[in-house]
Amino acid sequence: MSDSVILITASPALADYWADSLGLQDAVRLADLAALNRHGVATDSLVLVDLAQQHVEEQDIVQACRHCRVLALSSQPSDAEGLYWLQCGAVGYAHAMSTGDLLQQMFETVAAGGTWVGRSIMQQLCARFGSRLPATPASPLAAKLSERELAVVEALRQGKANKEIARLLDISERTVKAHLTSVFQKFGVEDRLQLLLKLTGG
């Protein structure tokens, strides 16, 4: 898989850390997004981008995100920066120095077609997309769900975290996760954001 993975950072130490954590010693390494767009990489390559670069043109971000699956990694993550990159088309946003185990989880999630973002950003995105759903979903998709699963989706569309959903519905957090897993399977999605996008027709 390393031939379709590109590491973009001006820091050789950071590139080494990512490569060692993910077992990608042979991954292509580039200095910036402009180089990626000039390099002519395979469509759907997985690109890890260090956001510590001084200045990145928005057109380079959008072009990279259009052709590749971009995981944006920041040494000083913020919700505003994460939302910006996700709006440009990135499939994930996280801390550049995440632990090796966490980097592996992120990598596997986005490689499988999922989205990776922190809890705060996920809640904002769920609330944003969830607000587009009618108060009581009447779509044929919603007909697939049990009454309890509909209640979980309703709480999810408000941007609530699993713990808040559990408290609201007076069930355990484990039960919330079980309902979400069932709902994800019914709709063929990997995460809550993909679910809400599917329910909104996005």
Side-chain angles (χ1 to χ4, degrees):
M1 171 111 189
S2 62
D3 59 335
S4 61
V5 176
I6 297 130
L7 310 178
I8 298 181
T9 178
S11 166
L14 185 57
D16 288 344
Y17 175 71
W18 291 345
D20 291 344
S21 296
L22 298 169
L24 298 171
Q25 282 69 25
D26 297 331
V28 173
R29 296 179 185 207
L30 300 172
D32 57 39
L33 274 177
L36 172 74
N37 294 329
R38 288 190 308 268
H39 194 69
V41 299
T43 301
D44 261 359
S45 293
L46 182 54
V47 180
L48 282 68
V49 179
D50 175 14
L51 302 187
Q53 301 176 56
Q54 289 302 315
H55 179 71
V56 181
E57 296 288 333
E58 185 171 349
Q59 66 192 27
D60 287 330
I61 296 171
V62 172
Q63 184 177 348
C65 292
R66 188 175 298 133
H67 299 292
C68 302
R69 288 169 293 146
V70 174
L71 178 55
L73 300 169
S74 176
S75 55
Q76 297 179 334
S78 71
D79 287 358
E81 180 182 59
L83 287 168
Y84 172 77
W85 276 82
L86 292 166
Q87 287 169 343
C88 287
V91 295
Y93 177 79
H95 199 292
M97 293 301 294
S98 295
T99 65
D101 288 344
L102 192 55
L103 279 171
Q104 188 66 44
Q105 267 188 294
M106 287 179 228
F107 183 81
E108 290 170 0
T109 298
V110 298
T115 305
W116 186 279
V117 294
R119 178 176 292 142
S120 174
I121 293 175
M122 181 62 80
Q123 288 176 323
Q124 289 179 51
L125 290 171
C126 286
R128 182 180 293 174
F129 289 111
S131 68
R132 294 181 178 180
L133 289 174
T136 48
S139 72
L141 297 175
K144 296 180 178 183
L145 305 178
S146 70
E147 188 176 320
R148 188 55 105 179
E149 289 169 342
L150 278 170
V152 169
V153 170
E154 171 61 25
L156 189 68
R157 70 181 279 279
Q158 296 169 17
K160 298 199 180 304
N162 288 356
K163 190 176 283 191
E164 295 171 301
I165 296 171
R167 206 171 317 134
L168 179 71
L169 300 179
D170 197 27
I171 57 178
S172 72
E173 199 170 342
R174 185 176 176 181
T175 302
V176 171
K177 290 177 183 177
H179 285 308
L180 286 173
T181 299
S182 173
V183 171
F184 295 164
Q185 288 173 346
K186 288 179 181 180
F187 289 100
V189 297
E190 299 287 327
D191 57 47
R192 54 186 67 210
L193 183 56
Q194 288 181 353
L195 172 68
L196 291 174
L197 285 170
K198 189 160 197 167
L199 289 174
T200 58

